[in-house]
């Protein structure tokens, strides 16, 4: 459920156990991560021990999370403004790791978020527009979360913890204010933690700023096109089989962009991500 200072907190039935991890994990270059399913040993005295990490279905490097069904990406209409490069990098990371990317547009009570919602609905993603005055959308989001392991992620100050508190009032996560001087939120969530709530598991994650993007996992340039769902129906229709969908003649993706079938912000993000990785070799991604 969480790890702090070398201790791992494991939920088993109705109880939570404070555990140490076997030294063999460190020797193998592996350690338990939030979301792991594990086997533990409960002794008569002393610390419980994590004996085995069961196979993972997926993994994010940052924030460190595993076995996630859906990545809930929260962006706000104002303070901070939507950063499409950040949002699109997170949606691509989710798709690349077999997680469903979901967009939540927050602070609709301050500024209408219809345009942001339209961009991601046109990309084939599920979108929720939440605000304190719209209980219907919050209820709809709560229904989506049922039975899933989900993680909430987004820039600092977008209102992740506030949203989770609205979904689960008994949780009372600490929330922060926007720094007027810096124009960004304070990092109120310090560690990744998984909560078991009303039939679902939900992870709140530390907020981050755009400077943290360099720490994100790198997606192979040949796989990146598959991480943008709206590209799918056009793939294989380009004039050249080696098309990178950046500036090539006869590119079906660029034609769809010109025809307004693909959003410019989404393609801009794809091109930026492609240029970041185009010179990286396959073996360097391991």
């Amino acid at each position: 459920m969480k790890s702090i200072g070398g201790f791992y907190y494991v939920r088993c039935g109705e109880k939570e156990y404070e555990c140490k991890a076997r030294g063999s994990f460190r020797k193998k270059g592996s350690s338990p991560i939030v979301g792991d399913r594990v086997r533990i040993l409960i002794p008569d005295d002393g610390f419980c021990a994590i004996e085995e990490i069961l196979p993972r279905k997926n993994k994010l490097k940052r924030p460190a999370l595993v076995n996630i069904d859906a990545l809930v990406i929260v962006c706000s209409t104002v303070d901070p403004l939507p950063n499409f490069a950040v949002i699109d990098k997170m949606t691509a990371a989710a798709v690349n790791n077999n997680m469903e990317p979901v967009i939540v547009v927050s602070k609709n009570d301050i500024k209408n978020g219809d345009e942001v919602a339209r961009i991601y609905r046109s990309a084939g993603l599920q979108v929720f527009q939440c605000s304190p005055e719209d209980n219907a959308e919050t209820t709809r989001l709560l229904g989506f979360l049922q039975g899933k392991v989900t993680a909430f992620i987004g820039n600092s100050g977008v209102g992740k913890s506030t949203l989770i508190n609205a979904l689960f009032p008994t949780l009372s996560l600490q929330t922060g204010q926007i720094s007027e001087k810096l124009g960004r939120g304070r990092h109120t969530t310090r560690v990744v933690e998984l909560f078991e709530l009303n039939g679902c598991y939900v992870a709140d994650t530390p907020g981050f700023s755009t400077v943290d993007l360099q720490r994100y996992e790198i997606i192979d340039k040949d796989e990146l096109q598959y991480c943008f769902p709206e590209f799918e129906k056009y793939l294989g229709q380009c004039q050249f089989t080696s098309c990178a969908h950046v500036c090539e003649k006869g590119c079906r993706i660029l034609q769809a962009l010109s025809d307004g079938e693909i959003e410019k912000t989404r393609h801009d993000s794809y091109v930026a991500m492609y240029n970041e990785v185009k010179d990286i070799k396959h073996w360097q991604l391991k």
Side-chain angles (χ1 to χ4, degrees), residues 247-285:
C247 60
E248 295 81 0
K249 179 181 178 181
C251 175
R252 186 65 182 88
I253 299 293
L254 291 178
Q255 182 62 52
L257 175 66
S258 178
D259 294 342
E261 297 168 2
I262 289 176
E263 295 294 330
K264 185 178 185 300
T265 58
R266 292 281 289 170
H267 186 259
D268 287 347
S269 294
Y270 167 82
V271 171
M273 293 172 67
Y274 185 88
N275 287 333
E276 286 177 4
V277 301
K278 65 181 180 180
D279 297 322
I280 298 177
K281 308 301 181 184
H282 288 279
W283 60 268
Q284 294 176 299
L285 299 175

Side-chain angles (χ1 to χ4, degrees), residues 25 27 46 50 59 76 90 93 146 185 193 195 197 203 225 230 251 260 266-267 283:
F25 293 126
K27 293 177 182 178
I50 295 178
K59 177 183 178 181
S76 54
M90 291 189 288
Q146 291 304 303
E193 182 170 0
F195 300 95
L197 301 160
Q225 60 187 330
E230 64 270 44
C251 175
R266 292 281 289 170
H267 186 259
W283 60 268

Side-chain angles (χ1 to χ4, degrees), residues 135-164:
N135 292 327
E137 276 292 88
T138 304
T139 300
R140 192 168 72 89
L141 176 57
L142 184 60
F144 169 82
L145 299 174
Q146 291 304 303
K148 297 183 178 71
V149 180
T150 55
F152 283 67
I153 186 173
N155 274 72
S156 302
V158 296
K160 296 190 315 300
S161 297
T162 299
L163 176 62
I164 296 175

Side-chain angles (χ1 to χ4, degrees), residues 46-179:
F47 288 109
C48 301
I50 295 178
E51 296 279 295
E52 181 184 3
I53 300 173
L54 301 181
R56 297 163 175 164
K57 70 176 183 178
N58 52 39
K59 177 183 178 181
L60 275 180
K61 291 182 180 178
R62 186 182 182 280
L65 286 164
V66 298
N67 298 326
I68 299 298
D69 296 317
L71 194 64
V72 181
I73 300 156
V74 185
C75 63
S76 54
T77 57
V78 292
D79 298 327
L81 291 169
N83 187 318
F84 295 111
V86 174
I87 300 167
D88 295 338
K89 201 151 202 176
M90 291 189 288
T91 64
V95 174
N96 192 51
N97 285 281
N98 298 312
M99 304 173 186
E100 180 182 359
V102 176
I103 304 295
V104 172
V105 184
S106 66
K107 305 184 184 180
N108 288 267
D109 53 317
I110 302 174
K111 181 181 178 181
N112 186 284
D114 287 351
E115 177 60 19
V116 179
R118 185 193 63 78
I119 289 172
Y120 289 100
R121 288 194 178 108
S122 70
L125 305 185
Q126 185 154 195
V127 179
F128 299 86
Q129 291 177 256
C130 294
S131 67
E133 285 79 17
D134 192 346
N135 292 327
E137 276 292 88
T138 304
T139 300
R140 192 168 72 89
L141 176 57
L142 184 60
F144 169 82
L145 299 174
Q146 291 304 303
K148 297 183 178 71
V149 180
T150 55
F152 283 67
I153 186 173
N155 274 72
S156 302
V158 296
K160 296 190 315 300
S161 297
T162 299
L163 176 62
I164 296 175
N165 284 339
L167 290 162
F168 308 103
T170 59
L171 194 56
S172 299
L173 292 177
Q174 182 184 359
T175 60
Q177 301 297 319
I178 298 295
S179 165

